[in-house]
Amino acid sequence: MKILHTSDWHVGKVLKGQSRAEEHKQVLAGVMEIAHAERPDLVIVAGDLYDTAAPSPEATRLVTRALTALRRTGADVVAIGGNHDNGHALDALRPWAEAAGITLRGGVRDNPAEHVIDGVTADGERWQLAALPFLSQRYAVRAVEMYELTAAEATQTYADHLGRVLAKLTEGFTEPDRVHLVTAHLTVVGASTGGGERDAHTVLGYAVPTSVFPGTAHYVALGHLHRSQRVIGPCPIRYSGSPLAVDFGEQENVCSVTLVEVGAHSAARIREVPVSAAVPLRTVRGTLTQLAEADPPEGWLRVFVREQPRAGLREEVQELFPRALEIRIDPELLPAPGSGTRVAQRAGRSPRELFADYLGSRGHDDDGVRDLFDELLEEVER
């Protein structure tokens, strides 16, 4: 059977105030083109369909149309909720999804059997997929209790709970003539972050070892980390990555989807298929003179200016680079915290002196800013 694995669409993403709706339309159209060309038997969307738990009507319309278009290629489609998604809202769409022939699992349900999906390809290859949406630490404990597994003790870790839940969902992975698959939205120990993930859900407390996945699984399709990568484990484990760079920290990532060909008695053959429709993200560095002489690169820009801060600098850079979404003083030029800058003593010193000390500590020694402060202070003191 052939599987198209994708994740982390983040539809509705706004980057530094810039909507990326048109980019998402082009990117998802590119995913559809790959699906039409490759004709997969199964499409797995491993979470974070949306960028926010309260998506706009436009974002909802784009996601539902994309899932419908994937289903119309003839593939079975399974999508799960990620940490950016509202699991309850996705589950509310299940009647629509079922009518469209799409399997949608937004959150963990009381009955573990609802997370075990069986199917058969047009050529007769039987498959079973354990689908685990994102679980917060609090709901991981609840899931363990719901499934009547070992009692959840306060000292047990998130990884302990996830291991027990996955063991329950994959306990049927024993039949020899069936392809056994897992999809989940989580962080695995040893994997590399892409640069734009939500830090609170990628820290060590949320990371699980690869041992939570059974060695009998033919392929594990993961979402959550935005960089496409293989993870070493007891079975083939892979993040598909996001099909577009979500933030400037991901500008070097190769945006793609993953194609997998696997059988009950044959090892998974995996390849990446690039998706290049999104506007690229670029970082530019230099002095104002260097920036003025440079040709603006294509894409959305982050500009690190190698100048001391002063009033009007941002506007000058914006004029040179109209597509700059972020303009900052190069972090290498800013004084390090606790680098020996003088700490102002408040007693007996004027507000202007204190403000001058503050500007100096921030590397922002500008007469124009001090004069503006004086004007504002005079207004307040009248």
Side-chain angles (χ1 to χ4, degrees), residues 91-138:
D91 282 332
L93 290 174
R94 283 182 60 172
W96 160 81
E98 289 168 4
I102 297 164
T103 302
L104 192 59
R105 296 292 182 265
V108 173
R109 312 287 286 193
D110 293 346
N111 182 3
E114 289 197 45
H115 295 278
V116 181
I117 299 127
D118 293 304
V120 59
T121 70
D123 293 333
E125 186 80 75
R126 296 167 60 238
W127 55 268
Q128 185 174 80
L129 171 66
L132 181 64
F134 174 75
L135 273 175
S136 68
Q137 288 178 325
R138 178 163 60 96

Side-chain angles (χ1 to χ4, degrees), residues 100-245:
I102 297 164
T103 302
L104 192 59
R105 296 292 182 265
V108 173
R109 312 287 286 193
D110 293 346
N111 182 3
E114 289 197 45
H115 295 278
V116 181
I117 299 127
D118 293 304
V120 59
T121 70
D123 293 333
E125 186 80 75
R126 296 167 60 238
W127 55 268
Q128 185 174 80
L129 171 66
L132 181 64
F134 174 75
L135 273 175
S136 68
Q137 288 178 325
R138 178 163 60 96
Y139 281 98
V141 175
R142 179 172 177 268
V144 169
E145 293 171 341
M146 280 194 313
Y147 294 171
E148 298 178 352
L149 305 172
T150 304
E153 299 174 357
T155 56
Q156 291 177 326
T157 67
Y158 179 78
D160 292 330
H161 299 317
L162 263 291
R164 286 171 169 79
V165 171
L166 282 166
K168 181 67 176 180
L169 299 184
T170 61
E171 63 186 6
F173 281 19
T174 56
E175 192 172 339
D177 296 323
R178 185 167 58 183
V179 178
H180 301 126
L181 307 167
V182 177
T183 185
H185 193 88
L186 45 74
T187 302
V188 171
V189 174
S192 301
T193 58
E197 299 89 351
R198 185 170 288 169
D199 289 342
H201 293 148
T202 56
V203 293
L204 202 55
Y206 269 96
V208 302
T210 57
S211 58
V212 300
F213 303 113
T216 51
H218 290 85
Y219 182 72
V220 176
L222 296 181
H224 189 34
L225 302 187
H226 296 174
R227 179 174 296 163
S228 176
Q229 60 192 293
R230 176 193 176 199
V231 183
I232 303 299
C235 55
I237 304 169
R238 189 170 185 86
Y239 286 96
S240 68
S242 176
L244 84 169

Side-chain angles (χ1 to χ4, degrees), residues 51-109:
D51 189 61
T52 173
S56 67
E58 179 185 24
T60 302
R61 184 163 50 249
L62 181 54
V63 166
T64 53
R65 286 179 176 177
L67 294 175
T68 301
L70 288 169
R71 177 69 181 116
R72 285 176 178 166
T73 66
D76 286 306
V77 177
V78 178
I80 62 172
N83 61 306
H84 281 252
D85 297 317
N86 184 327
H88 295 299
L90 283 180
D91 282 332
L93 290 174
R94 283 182 60 172
W96 160 81
E98 289 168 4
I102 297 164
T103 302
L104 192 59
R105 296 292 182 265
V108 173
R109 312 287 286 193

